[in-house]
Amino acid sequence: MKRIITIVGARPQFIKAATLSRQFQLLGIEEKIVHTGQHFDINMSDVFFDEMEIPRPVFQLDIHGLTHGAMTGRMLEEIEKILLKEKPDGVLVYGDTNSTMAGALAASKLHIPLIHVEAGLRSYNMEMPEEITRILTDRISNFLFCPTDTAIKNLKKEGFDYFPVKIIKNGDVMQDAAIYYTAKAEKKSNILNQIGLDKYIVGTIHRQENTDSPSNLRNIIAGLNEINNQIPLVVPIHPRTRNILAQQNIQCEFKLIDPVGYFDMIMLLKNCELVVTDSGGIQKEAFFFGKHCITLREETEWVELVENGFNILAGSNPEKLKTAFELFKTKKSDFSIDLYGEGKAAEKAALEILNF
Ligand code: UDP
């Protein structure tokens, strides 16, 4: 039986891992999950394991609230111990967080085949901690599962054709999750009753380039306050952003709620008028649920959404935000184009993993 160790630690990784874990069970691949502890609140972590029926982590590292270096270093040390003991056939990492980096380094230095899911993404913005993780993790991986053609092109531009690595375009596992969990969300979520709004916009803000720059954050909130005068805005707010808003005394006139579980998020996205976010995952989820998205960043890894007119990059500029809002208020788009594999990404990846 093939034995895989999966490293997760942050909210989007739980959602991605849910899709592959289910496929591993179907194919008889043994998976043990390491939860680094990077996200640890009930509503940033436990709720996803419960709702999405992700196997409970076998190893809980409880490492959080440190600087990037300290966090990654401690995770590396602990993951190495686990890998030395477990000697798995492969280590699986997702996306672009400190947990990804620590898992990737630990595995590759022990010569354990390293599998990166959501490989090849680039923003070409080296100030993003995520971009550094993506580049380094891709370079030391043995299997790169890419969600899009752009991701494959990015790797080719960096010379990956010459490296001993297998590159596979499998699609986006987040679309698998959106498709699989929507019926469950419809049954279980009560969020629409709780917010009690017929028409609303849903938003999120947590990217470091926005939260760590008081002027960017002020500009964004000013733009969002204006939009909220026309259509009410609901923002499940990341705990870090909530703290910074309080510290900086920035007033939000729109509805702030605590982070919600995935089922609630699906329902908020499925029924909204528009999405405004700096999240990577939510830009795609807007598209999965047939919604336009204004992205509060200067660039995106998901360029196909912008190229097809589904997404506009507004950065932290309130004027651009307003212009994009006015356009999307009336725009109708056909969202039926297949950009992300139509829900087969985890199955494809798991079959490759079974047979490597
Ligand atoms: N999400 C959620 N509840 C929230 C906010 C986000 O379930 O209150 C989900 C969202 O639907 C998406 C994932 O978390 O699937 C995205 O995570 P995040 O925005 O934290 O990270 P990113 O995608 O930017 O790496």
Side-chain angles (χ1 to χ4, degrees), residues 11-12 15 48 174 206-207 236 259-260 262 265 279-282 285:
R11 177 168 64 187
I15 292 161
F48 298 98
M174 291 192 83
H206 74 287
R207 208 84 291 125
V260 294
Y262 186 60
M265 198 64 200
S279 157
I282 294 173
E285 287 169 339

Side-chain angles (χ1 to χ4, degrees), residues 230-303:
Q230 291 197 49
I231 302 178
L233 170 68
V234 180
V235 176
I237 196 81
H238 193 288
R240 200 182 62 245
T241 315
R242 192 188 273 281
N243 289 340
I244 296 172
L245 288 170
Q247 279 161 19
Q248 299 288 331
N249 199 18
I250 301 176
Q251 302 301 328
C252 301
E253 289 160 19
F254 46 86
K255 200 176 176 72
L256 286 182
I257 59 175
D258 282 336
V260 294
Y262 186 60
F263 289 179
D264 286 349
M265 198 64 200
I266 286 182
M267 294 312 285
L268 285 173
L269 289 164
K270 193 163 180 276
N271 293 284
C272 70
E273 301 298 309
L274 174 70
V275 178
V276 186
T277 190
D278 59 8
S279 157
I282 294 173
Q283 291 176 58
K284 283 171 296 160
E285 287 169 339
F287 165 76
F288 301 153
F289 293 107
K291 309 295 172 180
H292 292 113
C293 178
I294 304 174
T295 298
L296 303 167
R297 289 180 50 198
E298 300 293 342
E299 72 287 303
T300 181
E301 301 74 33
W302 308 104
V303 287

